[in-house]
Amino acid sequence: MELFHNLGIGLGVAASMAGLGYCFLGVTLGTLVGVLPGIGTMATLAMLLPITFHVDANYALIMLAGIYYGAAYGGSTASILLNLPGTATSAVTGIDGYPMAQKGQAGLALFVTAIASCFGSMFGVVLLSLFSVPLARVALQFGPQEYFALMFLGLIAASLIGSGRSIRSLAAVTLGLALGLVGLDLNSGVARFTFGMPEFFDGLPLVAIAIGLFGLPEIIANAGRVVRSSASAKDISFRSMLPTRAQWKRTAMPMLRGSAIGSFFGALPGTGGVVATFISYATEKKISRHPEEFGKGAIEGVTAPEAANNAAVQSAFIPTLSLGIPGDPVMAIMLGVMMIHGILPGPSVISDSPDLFWGLVVSFVIGNVFLLVLNLPLIGIWVRILSIPYNLLFPVIVAFVCIGIYSVNYQVMDLFVLLAFGFLGWGMKALNFEVAPLLLGFVLGPMMEENFRRALVISNGEVSTFLARPISGTIMVATFLIIGYYVVQGLRKVLSRKMVSAESHNV
């Protein structure tokens, strides 16, 4: 009964005129961004952050969440039609989606993608509704030691799990933590690393950093891109989109398995949709009776990754809203918006702001209905949009970026921060450094420092307090075991390389 009462509270927020309007705006922009390769979800979220500062927190989060899972929907369109993923998570969809389009089954691939995306999203929403409240009740018993341990685990997991460049990711996290120190000290009020500039007393601007790291490098990299779709809007009719009975049977179980895999990995900080889509695709290929069809247009290779992708997007909100621990940079931006609106991320959000939490949950359901309306009847429009030359789009995007950055604080210094982090993001990508861990470290750094110092004050400076308490001690031990595992793996690789080089030298 409590669940239905809470859903009623959320329905009052999400089904209001403002809630419906911002939800529709978010999913529409998200779909458009996903369809257009090269812009990316992070860049769009960062560019639209200034709008949310002038909107109620409930509707701001509804709109940003709509952009997030809307982009997960739309990203498959460019992947299927152009073999050019609109988002990183839709890259797997193109493995079989593009061959289907080349065989004249573009409409079918887009249709089953939309259905699988909706199913995966609904699967993740159900888990979010069922498990967030119990998890938050447990987390209400946490002290600063547990919060610090959880954030520490989240940063380590985001750096090491699912990445082939662990040392570079850790370096990015460390840089992010250092950047989070800029501003006034919480305890003493002393200005730290501000170089005497009052603009930095409140810390570095999150919006400028996010756009600089994710937006500008992507815009620059895709400025000269010219790609044409092999399918036209005339080739995609409603009849060509409908699967046969045999094709429905082939998509049912992959859809369910992909949703389960996506929900599991989406709830784990540091993994998310990219890992979930690859694992779901590999699982389907392994258990399929016809593995030779994968890569040549297997319909299971489209439905399973798309269901996993969207389920991971929804379940990623479980640790973010229940514990205040972002699992990826998009969730870090969500936490940043909450803090800007004066909402303290963590388990108290569900009890103190039920309208915000449950309004967001109900908006997921409404948003997925909107997305079915956008993705099925309007597929022809998305195909036509792909024909717009990107060299006409990116100057407009850059202009709106600069206007949006300046409108946050009306400070010219923010534009210089944008430019500086744009060069930093471009340089990091050129050197194969991960930029997402940097943003995670920047967002979590101040919260980690606050809980670390609070724990030391409570324990009279005893660092062992993080290991003495059962929950924080278990989390810290698990974190050190993860670090130890990757250190051992790294040493084994180094030793094996030395042995191979020694043997080749002896020969």
Side-chain angles (χ1 to χ4, degrees), residues 384-413:
R384 290 187 180 94
I385 288 175
L386 286 172
S387 63
I388 299 176
Y390 193 78
N391 59 352
L392 300 179
L393 286 176
F394 85 86
V396 179
I397 295 171
V398 172
F400 277 111
V401 164
C402 294
I403 294 171
I405 289 294
Y406 181 75
S407 66
V408 177
N409 298 313
Y410 299 102
Q411 293 183 163
V412 178
M413 182 58 69

Side-chain angles (χ1 to χ4, degrees), residues 21-286:
Y22 282 108
C23 182
F24 185 79
L25 177 62
V27 297
T28 304
L29 289 173
T31 304
L32 177 61
V33 167
V35 168
L36 290 173
I39 300 177
T41 310
M42 276 301 306
T44 307
L45 284 172
M47 285 186 282
L48 293 176
L49 270 183
I51 299 176
T52 65
F53 300 158
H54 310 288
V55 179
D56 183 83
N58 295 340
Y59 306 130
L61 289 176
I62 286 175
M63 185 181 74
L64 290 178
I67 294 171
Y68 185 26
Y69 58 82
Y73 265 74
S76 59
T77 302
S79 186
I80 290 171
L81 298 179
L82 302 176
N83 199 24
L84 189 63
T87 59
T89 51
S90 61
V92 182
T93 307
I95 297 176
D96 283 283
Y98 186 64
M100 288 181 69
Q102 289 181 315
K103 292 190 296 185
Q105 297 179 329
L108 173 63
L110 293 170
F111 182 86
V112 296
T113 292
I115 298 299
S117 298
C118 182
F119 183 85
S121 294
M122 293 300 184
F123 193 95
V125 169
V126 171
L127 294 183
L128 176 64
S129 304
L130 294 177
F131 293 108
S132 291
V133 174
L135 185 60
R137 286 174 179 167
V138 174
L140 284 173
Q141 310 301 320
F142 286 5
Q145 294 90 339
E146 285 77 14
Y147 277 118
F148 173 81
L150 274 174
M151 293 176 189
F152 185 46
L153 173 61
L155 283 182
I156 294 299
S159 304
L160 300 179
I161 299 176
S163 173
R165 297 180 290 270
S166 303
I167 299 299
R168 297 185 179 187
S169 296
L170 284 174
V173 165
T174 305
L175 178 59
L177 291 172
L179 293 171
L181 296 175
V182 175
L184 298 179
D185 183 84
L186 293 174
N187 292 346
S188 64
V190 175
R192 303 183 301 187
F193 309 110
T194 61
F195 299 98
M197 299 180 183
E199 294 90 346
F200 295 152
F201 283 178
D202 291 330
L204 295 173
L206 171 65
V207 185
I209 290 177
I211 298 179
L213 290 176
F214 292 92
L216 291 186
E218 290 296 325
I219 294 170
I220 294 170
N222 289 276
R225 175 181 53 80
V226 179
V227 182
R228 297 294 180 187
S229 173
S230 59
S232 65
K234 297 179 180 179
D235 300 329
I236 302 175
S237 63
F238 185 73
R239 179 173 294 181
S240 69
M241 294 165 59
L242 295 177
T244 63
R245 182 176 298 180
Q247 289 169 335
W248 276 119
K249 288 183 178 180
R250 290 182 63 178
T251 58
M253 289 308 296
M255 207 180 295
L256 182 61
R257 284 190 291 265
S259 299
I261 292 172
S263 298
F264 174 76
F265 283 100
L268 293 178
T271 53
V274 177
V275 176
T277 52
F278 277 97
I279 291 180
S280 64
Y281 184 85
T283 301
E284 292 304 318
K285 185 175 181 179
K286 187 173 183 179

Side-chain angles (χ1 to χ4, degrees), residues 329-347:
V330 174
M331 293 296 106
I333 285 186
M334 295 289 182
L335 291 188
V337 171
M338 292 171 67
M339 289 187 287
I340 288 170
H341 283 275
I343 300 171
L344 183 64

Side-chain angles (χ1 to χ4, degrees), residues 435-453:
V435 294
L438 190 154
L439 185 64
L440 285 173
F442 175 73
V443 172
L444 287 180
M447 292 189 286
M448 287 183 67
E449 180 192 8
E450 180 181 357
N451 284 286
F452 180 77
R453 296 173 72 170

Side-chain angles (χ1 to χ4, degrees), residues 152 156 160 170 477-489:
F152 185 46
I156 294 299
L160 300 179
L170 284 174
V477 169
T479 305
F480 288 128
L481 287 176
I482 293 174
I483 296 173
Y485 171 79
Y486 279 92
V487 169
V488 171
Q489 290 292 102

